[in-house]
PDB file of all heavy atoms in Angstrom:
ATOM      1  N   PHE A 184      46.678 -16.766 -21.625  1.00 88.00           N
ATOM      2  CA  PHE A 184      46.961 -15.567 -20.838  1.00 88.00           C
ATOM      3  C   PHE A 184      47.586 -14.535 -21.766  1.00 88.00           C
ATOM      4  O   PHE A 184      47.903 -14.827 -22.911  1.00 88.00           O
ATOM      5  CB  PHE A 184      47.852 -15.877 -19.616  1.00 88.00           C
ATOM      6  CG  PHE A 184      49.276 -16.234 -19.947  1.00 88.00           C
ATOM      7  CD1 PHE A 184      50.267 -15.263 -19.954  1.00 88.00           C
ATOM      8  CD2 PHE A 184      49.635 -17.540 -20.234  1.00 88.00           C
ATOM      9  CE1 PHE A 184      51.577 -15.591 -20.253  1.00 88.00           C
ATOM     10  CE2 PHE A 184      50.933 -17.888 -20.531  1.00 88.00           C
ATOM     11  CZ  PHE A 184      51.911 -16.904 -20.538  1.00 88.00           C
ATOM     12  N   TYR A 185      47.731 -13.324 -21.279  1.00 90.00           N
ATOM     13  CA  TYR A 185      48.165 -12.215 -22.127  1.00 90.00           C
ATOM     14  C   TYR A 185      49.424 -11.575 -21.565  1.00 90.00           C
ATOM     15  O   TYR A 185      49.482 -11.228 -20.385  1.00 90.00           O
ATOM     16  CB  TYR A 185      47.053 -11.167 -22.233  1.00 90.00           C
ATOM     17  CG  TYR A 185      45.830 -11.718 -22.922  1.00 90.00           C
ATOM     18  CD1 TYR A 185      44.835 -12.385 -22.200  1.00 90.00           C
ATOM     19  CD2 TYR A 185      45.673 -11.609 -24.292  1.00 90.00           C
ATOM     20  CE1 TYR A 185      43.731 -12.923 -22.832  1.00 90.00           C
ATOM     21  CE2 TYR A 185      44.559 -12.128 -24.933  1.00 90.00           C
ATOM     22  CZ  TYR A 185      43.597 -12.787 -24.197  1.00 90.00           C
ATOM     23  OH  TYR A 185      42.497 -13.332 -24.813  1.00 90.00           O
ATOM     24  N   LEU A 186      50.427 -11.441 -22.429  1.00 86.00           N
ATOM     25  CA  LEU A 186      51.671 -10.765 -22.059  1.00 86.00           C
ATOM     26  C   LEU A 186      51.616  -9.337 -22.577  1.00 86.00           C
ATOM     27  O   LEU A 186      51.364  -9.128 -23.772  1.00 86.00           O
ATOM     28  CB  LEU A 186      52.886 -11.476 -22.681  1.00 86.00           C
ATOM     29  CG  LEU A 186      53.312 -12.793 -22.070  1.00 86.00           C
ATOM     30  CD1 LEU A 186      54.497 -13.357 -22.849  1.00 86.00           C
ATOM     31  CD2 LEU A 186      53.690 -12.620 -20.609  1.00 86.00           C
ATOM     32  N   PRO A 187      51.877  -8.356 -21.721  1.00 92.00           N
ATOM     33  CA  PRO A 187      51.871  -6.971 -22.198  1.00 92.00           C
ATOM     34  C   PRO A 187      53.022  -6.718 -23.166  1.00 92.00           C
ATOM     35  O   PRO A 187      54.105  -7.249 -23.011  1.00 92.00           O
ATOM     36  CB  PRO A 187      52.049  -6.149 -20.917  1.00 92.00           C
ATOM     37  CG  PRO A 187      52.038  -7.092 -19.779  1.00 92.00           C
ATOM     38  CD  PRO A 187      52.122  -8.473 -20.300  1.00 92.00           C
ATOM     39  N   LYS A 188      52.747  -5.896 -24.191  1.00 86.00           N
ATOM     40  CA  LYS A 188      53.772  -5.492 -25.161  1.00 86.00           C
ATOM     41  C   LYS A 188      54.099  -4.026 -24.918  1.00 86.00           C
ATOM     42  O   LYS A 188      53.321  -3.291 -24.305  1.00 86.00           O
ATOM     43  CB  LYS A 188      53.248  -5.683 -26.581  1.00 86.00           C
ATOM     44  CG  LYS A 188      53.008  -7.141 -26.960  1.00 86.00           C
ATOM     45  CD  LYS A 188      52.197  -7.291 -28.222  1.00 86.00           C
ATOM     46  CE  LYS A 188      52.969  -6.990 -29.462  1.00 86.00           C
ATOM     47  NZ  LYS A 188      52.201  -7.314 -30.694  1.00 86.00           N
ATOM     48  N   SER A 189      55.242  -3.591 -25.437  1.00 89.00           N
ATOM     49  CA  SER A 189      55.669  -2.207 -25.235  1.00 89.00           C
ATOM     50  C   SER A 189      54.715  -1.214 -25.901  1.00 89.00           C
ATOM     51  O   SER A 189      54.663  -0.045 -25.534  1.00 89.00           O
ATOM     52  CB  SER A 189      57.080  -2.003 -25.762  1.00 89.00           C
ATOM     53  OG  SER A 189      57.126  -2.328 -27.152  1.00 89.00           O
ATOM     54  N   THR A 190      53.931  -1.677 -26.875  1.00 84.00           N
ATOM     55  CA  THR A 190      52.995  -0.802 -27.586  1.00 84.00           C
ATOM     56  C   THR A 190      51.740  -0.512 -26.781  1.00 84.00           C
ATOM     57  O   THR A 190      50.919   0.295 -27.192  1.00 84.00           O
ATOM     58  CB  THR A 190      52.568  -1.462 -28.910  1.00 84.00           C
ATOM     59  OG1 THR A 190      51.929  -2.714 -28.605  1.00 84.00           O
ATOM     60  CG2 THR A 190      53.744  -1.697 -29.838  1.00 84.00           C
ATOM     61  N   GLY A 191      51.564  -1.212 -25.655  1.00 87.00           N
ATOM     62  CA  GLY A 191      50.350  -1.056 -24.872  1.00 87.00           C
ATOM     63  C   GLY A 191      49.348  -2.159 -25.173  1.00 87.00           C
ATOM     64  O   GLY A 191      48.372  -2.337 -24.458  1.00 87.00           O
ATOM     65  N   LEU A 192      49.560  -2.894 -26.273  1.00 83.00           N
ATOM     66  CA  LEU A 192      48.715  -4.039 -26.596  1.00 83.00           C
ATOM     67  C   LEU A 192      49.192  -5.255 -25.813  1.00 83.00           C
ATOM     68  O   LEU A 192      50.214  -5.194 -25.134  1.00 83.00           O
ATOM     69  CB  LEU A 192      48.771  -4.330 -28.113  1.00 83.00           C
ATOM     70  CG  LEU A 192      48.276  -3.215 -29.026  1.00 83.00           C
ATOM     71  CD1 LEU A 192      48.569  -3.556 -30.475  1.00 83.00           C
ATOM     72  CD2 LEU A 192      46.787  -2.984 -28.821  1.00 83.00           C
ATOM     73  N   SER A 193      48.487  -6.335 -25.930  1.00 84.00           N
ATOM     74  CA  SER A 193      48.880  -7.583 -25.255  1.00 84.00           C
ATOM     75  C   SER A 193      49.024  -8.694 -26.282  1.00 84.00           C
ATOM     76  O   SER A 193      48.283  -8.752 -27.255  1.00 84.00           O
ATOM     77  CB  SER A 193      47.825  -7.991 -24.230  1.00 84.00           C
ATOM     78  OG  SER A 193      47.746  -7.042 -23.210  1.00 84.00           O
ATOM     79  N   ARG A 194      49.995  -9.563 -26.031  1.00 82.00           N
ATOM     80  CA  ARG A 194      50.194 -10.729 -26.898  1.00 82.00           C
ATOM     81  C   ARG A 194      49.524 -11.925 -26.233  1.00 82.00           C
ATOM     82  O   ARG A 194      49.883 -12.282 -25.100  1.00 82.00           O
ATOM     83  CB  ARG A 194      51.679 -10.991 -27.093  1.00 82.00           C
ATOM     84  CG  ARG A 194      51.980 -12.210 -27.964  1.00 82.00           C
ATOM     85  CD  ARG A 194      53.453 -12.468 -28.116  1.00 82.00           C
ATOM     86  NE  ARG A 194      54.209 -11.310 -28.534  1.00 82.00           N
ATOM     87  CZ  ARG A 194      54.280 -10.877 -29.786  1.00 82.00           C
ATOM     88  NH1 ARG A 194      53.636 -11.503 -30.727  1.00 82.00           N
ATOM     89  NH2 ARG A 194      55.012  -9.816 -30.083  1.00 82.00           N
ATOM     90  N   PRO A 195      48.543 -12.559 -26.907  1.00 83.00           N
ATOM     91  CA  PRO A 195      47.910 -13.741 -26.299  1.00 83.00           C
ATOM     92  C   PRO A 195      48.856 -14.951 -26.395  1.00 83.00           C
ATOM     93  O   PRO A 195      49.462 -15.195 -27.433  1.00 83.00           O
ATOM     94  CB  PRO A 195      46.672 -13.951 -27.172  1.00 83.00           C
ATOM     95  CG  PRO A 195      46.983 -13.303 -28.476  1.00 83.00           C
ATOM     96  CD  PRO A 195      47.956 -12.199 -28.200  1.00 83.00           C
ATOM     97  N   ILE A 196      48.988 -15.655 -25.306  1.00 86.00           N
ATOM     98  CA  ILE A 196      49.765 -16.895 -25.264  1.00 86.00           C
ATOM     99  C   ILE A 196      48.780 -18.018 -24.964  1.00 86.00           C
ATOM    100  O   ILE A 196      48.092 -17.986 -23.946  1.00 86.00           O
ATOM    101  CB  ILE A 196      50.855 -16.852 -24.180  1.00 86.00           C
ATOM    102  CG1 ILE A 196      51.771 -15.633 -24.359  1.00 86.00           C
ATOM    103  CG2 ILE A 196      51.654 -18.146 -24.152  1.00 86.00           C
ATOM    104  CD1 ILE A 196      52.598 -15.646 -25.616  1.00 86.00           C
ATOM    105  N   SER A 197      48.693 -18.982 -25.873  1.00 89.00           N
ATOM    106  CA  SER A 197      47.734 -20.082 -25.732  1.00 89.00           C
ATOM    107  C   SER A 197      48.463 -21.382 -25.431  1.00 89.00           C
ATOM    108  O   SER A 197      49.446 -21.707 -26.097  1.00 89.00           O
ATOM    109  CB  SER A 197      46.922 -20.247 -27.014  1.00 89.00           C
ATOM    110  OG  SER A 197      46.214 -19.066 -27.292  1.00 89.00           O
ATOM    111  N   PHE A 198      47.984 -22.096 -24.448  1.00 93.00           N
ATOM    112  CA  PHE A 198      48.541 -23.395 -24.109  1.00 93.00           C
ATOM    113  C   PHE A 198      47.575 -24.486 -24.542  1.00 93.00           C
ATOM    114  O   PHE A 198      46.393 -24.447 -24.183  1.00 93.00           O
ATOM    115  CB  PHE A 198      48.792 -23.511 -22.603  1.00 93.00           C
ATOM    116  CG  PHE A 198      49.921 -22.659 -22.122  1.00 93.00           C
ATOM    117  CD1 PHE A 198      49.682 -21.590 -21.297  1.00 93.00           C
ATOM    118  CD2 PHE A 198      51.225 -22.937 -22.512  1.00 93.00           C
ATOM    119  CE1 PHE A 198      50.718 -20.782 -20.852  1.00 93.00           C
ATOM    120  CE2 PHE A 198      52.270 -22.141 -22.085  1.00 93.00           C
ATOM    121  CZ  PHE A 198      52.018 -21.067 -21.245  1.00 93.00           C
TER     122      PHE A 198
END
Side-chain angles (χ1 to χ4, degrees):
F184 70 94
Y185 296 87
L186 286 178
K188 294 166 75 173
S189 59
T190 60
L192 298 172
S193 296
R194 179 181 309 281
I196 305 295
S197 300
F198 290 112

